[in-house]
Amino acid sequence: MGVVGIVFDEQARVLLVEHVFHPQIPWGLPGGWIDRNEEPSEGVARELKEELELVVQAEQIILVEKAFNNHIDLAFLCNASDRKIGEVSNELLGYKWYALDELPALKQFHIKAIHRAFHYIERK
């Protein structure tokens, strides 16, 4: 199971990372694989901590999709009380906060998740 975290800043920009191991579509939401017996919400928090030194709370599942074979992807809307990014892991080339109308090329799952999360926070 894969998990990604959607984090917005005060200007409603979304946090994206540039992945080392995804040369065709390098930009995407931060995340990774959950560990055996790990709760998905804990897995996404762990991944953002490992990749960006960003402490988040997973608030809401925004999107669930079956990607291939029996692989499931979950997108979580996450809250970070302090949006300060620390040292970036060696799995990433960098990060950037993007406005929705400036998004780079992304996987369809990430695009859908970002837009659903944005509409979710607009209604709050």
Side-chain angles (χ1 to χ4, degrees), residues 16-17 25-29 103-111 114:
L16 296 179
V17 294
I25 304 177
W27 286 95
L29 294 165
L103 296 175
L106 299 170
K107 293 180 181 179
Q108 283 301 309
F109 177 76
H110 293 214
I111 293 169
I114 291 166

Side-chain angles (χ1 to χ4, degrees), residues 34-102:
I34 63 169
D35 291 337
R36 183 179 299 277
N37 297 321
E38 184 176 42
E39 290 294 325
S41 60
E42 293 170 3
V44 74
R46 176 186 49 76
E47 284 289 342
L48 272 70
K49 179 75 170 154
E50 290 175 0
E51 290 184 352
L52 300 159
E53 295 183 358
L54 182 64
V55 176
V56 301
Q57 292 286 107
E59 289 187 345
Q60 177 73 36
I61 294 175
I62 294 297
L63 184 61
V64 178
E65 278 190 2
K66 181 178 178 230
F68 53 87
N69 296 331
N70 288 325
H71 177 82
I72 302 292
D73 281 324
L74 295 172
F76 284 89
L77 177 61
C78 295
N79 181 33
S81 57
D82 178 5
R83 293 178 184 88
K84 182 175 178 238
I85 306 295
E87 188 172 330
V88 175
S89 84
N90 61 2
E91 297 176 8
L92 303 177
L93 296 171
Y95 70 91
K96 185 175 176 184
W97 296 93
Y98 280 95
L100 293 186
D101 61 352
E102 299 174 340

